[in-house]
Every structure is written in structure tokens, then in C-alpha cells.
Amino acid sequence: ANVDYLYEYGRILLERAVDNPEYFRRAVQIGDQAISANSSDPRGYALKTMALSFSGAPGAAALDDAPTTESDPPTTSPAGRGG
């Protein structure tokens, strides 16, 4: 499956969920498909988390299995380092 397509489709579902709350559930499923297609691509986790969060479900749980890398941004801002 193409993660680019899945992510964009999921984003459209989230935008349309105002008209149909069932789209939140479908966006979670699309997020799962994107994660299965490429578990190292953060967009699947982001989509699933947004869908769970916007629907009122605990979205942070979707990130429990998200991979981390050394290229992740720092947790403090440059200004916070005395810079």
C-alpha cells in the first residue's frame, strides 16, 4: 500500500468527519493500514493519533509502538539551551 495515498485519504476523512463521525473510525483504520505498510513512516501513527484524539478517544496510545530514531527532533528548544 502507498503510505502517501493512505495519509492523504485519511486526512480527507478527518476533514469530512464533521459531517459524518463514522469517518473517524475509518481514519483510524487507514492509519493502521499505513502503519502496516511502513511502520517506520510516522504519518500512519500521526493519522491514527489525530483520528483517535478528534473522536474523543485517547489518541496518545497510538504512539506507544511508534519507532524512535536518533534523527527525532530535540525535546528542548535552542533558546532553552542558553542559546
Side-chain angles (χ1 to χ4, degrees), residues 30-58:
I30 296 295
D32 283 335
Q33 287 179 354
I35 292 166
S36 293
N38 184 351
S39 63
S40 65
D41 190 323
R43 293 176 294 175
Y45 298 97
L47 178 62
K48 183 175 180 178
T49 300
M50 286 188 293
L52 290 169
S53 178
F54 294 161
S55 71

Side-chain angles (χ1 to χ4, degrees), residues 1-77:
N2 185 329
V3 175
D4 294 333
Y5 166 78
L6 292 171
Y7 181 73
E8 292 303 321
Y9 178 51
R11 293 287 307 230
I12 291 168
L13 288 171
L14 289 177
E15 292 173 9
R16 302 291 305 189
V18 172
D19 299 328
N20 185 348
E22 175 65 19
Y23 290 164
F24 286 126
R25 185 186 66 77
R26 183 69 182 126
V28 170
Q29 293 173 340
I30 296 295
D32 283 335
Q33 287 179 354
I35 292 166
S36 293
N38 184 351
S39 63
S40 65
D41 190 323
R43 293 176 294 175
Y45 298 97
L47 178 62
K48 183 175 180 178
T49 300
M50 286 188 293
L52 290 169
S53 178
F54 294 161
S55 71
L63 296 178
D64 287 346
D65 295 325
T68 57
T69 65
E70 290 182 18
S71 64
D72 285 343
T75 57
T76 59
S77 67

